[in-house]
Amino acid sequence: MLDQIIHSKSEPGQSWPSESLTRVPYWIFQDRDTYAAEQKLIFQGPSWNYLCLSVELKNTGDFITTFVGDTSVIVARDSDGELYAFENRCAHRGALIALEPRGNTKDFSCVYHAWTYDRQGNLKGVAFKDGIKGKGGMPASFCMEEHNPRKLRLAEAFGIVFGSFSNDVPPLEEHLGEEIYSRIGRIMNGRTPVVLGRFTQALPNNWKLYVENVKDSYHASILHLFFTTFELNRLSQTGGIIVDPSGGHHISFSAIEPDGAKDNEYAEQDIRSDSEFKLADPSLLQSFKEFPDNVTLQILSVFPTFVLQQIQNAIAVRQVVPRGTGQTDLHWTLLGFAEDTPEQRLVRLKQANLVGPAGYISMEDGCVGGFVQRGIAGASCEQAVIEMGGAGTDSSESRVTEASVRGFWKAYRARMGM
């Protein structure tokens, strides 16, 4: 059935353009059958999906509800100290097992009919299983071991927990590759993360439009006026793009040159790149040297929907959660570290104003995907042009490229069989 869905795009305007990765058809952001296939082939297929941070589940009985695609998942720490993850769906009638986003529990009981599960996701109790006074109840052939919710494989990278429904996905470190894995380690750096805050942002667009945005280094210093006004990120700065061989994972990075002269490339382009605005409190942009490589901005993504950011000293994890063809939830987790000094913690809290739904930088990303979703509403037969920097997906010293966007579509098409 899924194969029929994917390969049914043969009518006019519903096939992938012949230009391959430099053209993306707009129906891909609108088609309901495609969205359904993504849930099976990508999110429940051979992918490692971000679930949570290990530090969020410190104690026995701690649990969190999270998502793999649009599937609700429970992650819990059991008395053996290990983490377990399973679908947040009662095997009886499909109700959510856990209703709270996080907590601590001895077991899980479905509110609908009180079927009970342990912290490893095993069905342990069925209310009135043997009936009452010898009448009713489940048949003698009913076996609780055969009625567990689906369980996920788990793996960690530097305290970041990933899960997969698939037995075919390779080990996490192999899946990420050395460059991506080491750049996650660069941020975490053996430190103990501390959650400084969380929020969820509702985006009025397809999930893939936000993932494109994350991978698009070309837009960053054009759309985000704050970046260029205060010279936090300009395409003329030292930096580059790293795209893994699959195309699905990427890193964009840049460094502020302390003694660098202000460039005039943006003025010559006659584009929106500077403003007359000033900061009432310039200490917002005061930072401390955190990494020996002098990189002041690193955006890292793992296919399909995980993002780890460093913008100055603002460290955050972003989780992209599909909510249908035209809606997406973006979960932000802002991070500090237990090893931070009080002064460093204050810097991180101030710089948290840069990101999130109303962040000085991120607020534009919250609406521009909606501009695209609205713009393509009547143009499902048309296509986007993604030729900046060529037609390939190779890593590059230039960020004036869409190589990592093309990389996403390379990975996407491979996973979807397109």
Side-chain angles (χ1 to χ4, degrees), residues 105-117:
T105 187
K106 292 181 180 179
D107 54 31
F108 298 93
S109 182
C110 175
V111 69
Y112 200 178
H113 298 95
W115 284 33
T116 304
Y117 302 84

Side-chain angles (χ1 to χ4, degrees), residues 128 130-137:
F128 301 111
D130 299 321
I132 297 177
K133 296 181 180 179
K135 297 181 179 179

Side-chain angles (χ1 to χ4, degrees), residues 8-297:
S8 68
K9 306 299 178 184
S10 56
E11 62 268 36
Q14 295 292 290
S15 59
W16 200 277
S18 59
E19 293 88 350
S20 186
L21 301 178
T22 64
R23 298 292 187 274
V24 176
Y26 288 139
W27 59 257
I28 204 77
F29 304 109
Q30 302 168 311
D31 185 75
R32 292 182 180 179
D33 288 343
T34 299
Y35 178 85
E38 290 167 353
Q39 302 305 312
K40 295 293 184 183
L41 298 177
I42 293 178
F43 295 104
Q44 296 181 30
S47 299
W48 284 109
N49 301 272
Y50 169 75
L51 297 179
C52 61
L53 300 168
S54 177
V55 73
E56 296 180 273
L57 303 164
K58 295 179 181 178
N59 305 310
T60 296
D62 284 351
F63 74 91
I64 190 170
T65 56
T66 182
F67 291 90
V68 171
D70 59 14
T71 300
S72 183
V73 168
I74 297 171
V75 185
R77 191 174 296 279
D78 204 7
S79 54
D80 61 359
E82 297 296 320
L83 292 178
Y84 297 87
F86 50 96
E87 192 175 12
N88 188 12
R89 175 189 57 82
C90 182
H92 179 213
R93 300 274 288 279
L96 292 172
I97 299 170
L99 302 179
E100 300 297 325
R102 65 192 73 249
N104 186 280
T105 187
K106 292 181 180 179
D107 54 31
F108 298 93
S109 182
C110 175
V111 69
Y112 200 178
H113 298 95
W115 284 33
T116 304
Y117 302 84
D118 65 19
R119 293 179 297 223
Q120 297 186 23
N122 300 308
L123 178 61
K124 290 298 184 180
V126 172
F128 301 111
K129 174 177 174 291
D130 299 321
I132 297 177
K133 296 181 180 179
K135 297 181 179 179
M138 302 297 287
S141 61
F142 180 78
C143 177
M144 289 198 292
E145 289 78 8
E146 296 176 357
H147 294 277
N148 300 322
R150 291 182 297 171
K151 298 182 180 181
L152 288 80
R153 294 172 59 192
L154 291 183
E156 288 189 33
F158 306 100
I160 300 172
V161 182
F162 293 84
S164 180
F165 281 108
S166 172
N167 291 321
D168 297 326
V169 63
L172 179 60
E173 188 170 352
E174 177 185 336
H175 176 76
L176 295 175
E178 173 58 29
E179 284 189 302
I180 304 296
Y181 186 81
S182 64
R183 287 282 185 143
I184 295 175
R186 170 188 173 273
I187 296 293
M188 306 310 285
N189 195 26
R191 299 176 290 181
T192 304
V194 174
V195 175
L196 301 183
R198 302 181 180 90
F199 35 80
T200 296
Q201 183 174 3
L203 304 177
N205 51 265
N206 187 276
W207 69 273
K208 299 184 291 297
L209 286 173
Y210 184 77
V211 175
E212 275 195 329
N213 177 275
V214 165
K215 294 174 177 287
D216 178 12
S217 57
Y218 174 39
H219 89 278
S221 60
I222 299 173
L223 175 67
H224 301 305
L225 193 59
F226 194 94
F227 263 153
T228 46
T229 297
F230 298 101
E231 299 188 63
L232 298 181
N233 181 16
R234 287 176 172 248
L235 291 171
S236 52
Q237 292 171 347
T238 301
I241 295 287
I242 298 171
V243 184
D244 87 302
S246 78
H249 319 316
H250 104 291
I251 303 157
S252 173
F253 64 96
S254 63
I256 296 175
E257 299 175 17
D259 301 320
K262 186 170 183 176
D263 60 70
N264 60 1
E265 283 91 344
Y266 284 80
E268 292 174 355
Q269 294 291 318
D270 193 27
I271 59 175
R272 171 182 175 270
S273 62
D274 288 288
S275 76
E276 74 281 7
F277 294 111
K278 307 296 180 184
L279 289 172
D281 181 6
S283 70
L284 173 71
L285 296 182
Q286 290 178 357
S287 60
F288 60 91
K289 184 176 174 62
E290 189 167 2
F291 305 101
D293 57 11
N294 296 318
V295 168
T296 50
L297 185 145

Side-chain angles (χ1 to χ4, degrees), residues 349-401:
L349 291 172
K350 285 186 176 182
Q351 290 186 8
N353 289 288
L354 299 176
V355 298
Y360 291 128
I361 295 168
S362 301
M363 59 181 172
E364 294 97 344
D365 292 329
C367 61
V368 73
F371 296 164
V372 177
Q373 196 78 38
R374 289 158 58 189
I376 66 175
S380 61
C381 294
E382 301 297 329
Q383 54 200 11
V385 177
I386 308 180
E387 291 188 12
M388 187 63 66
T393 63
D394 293 336
S395 300
S396 169
E397 293 183 359
S398 170
R399 289 176 296 132
V400 190
T401 179

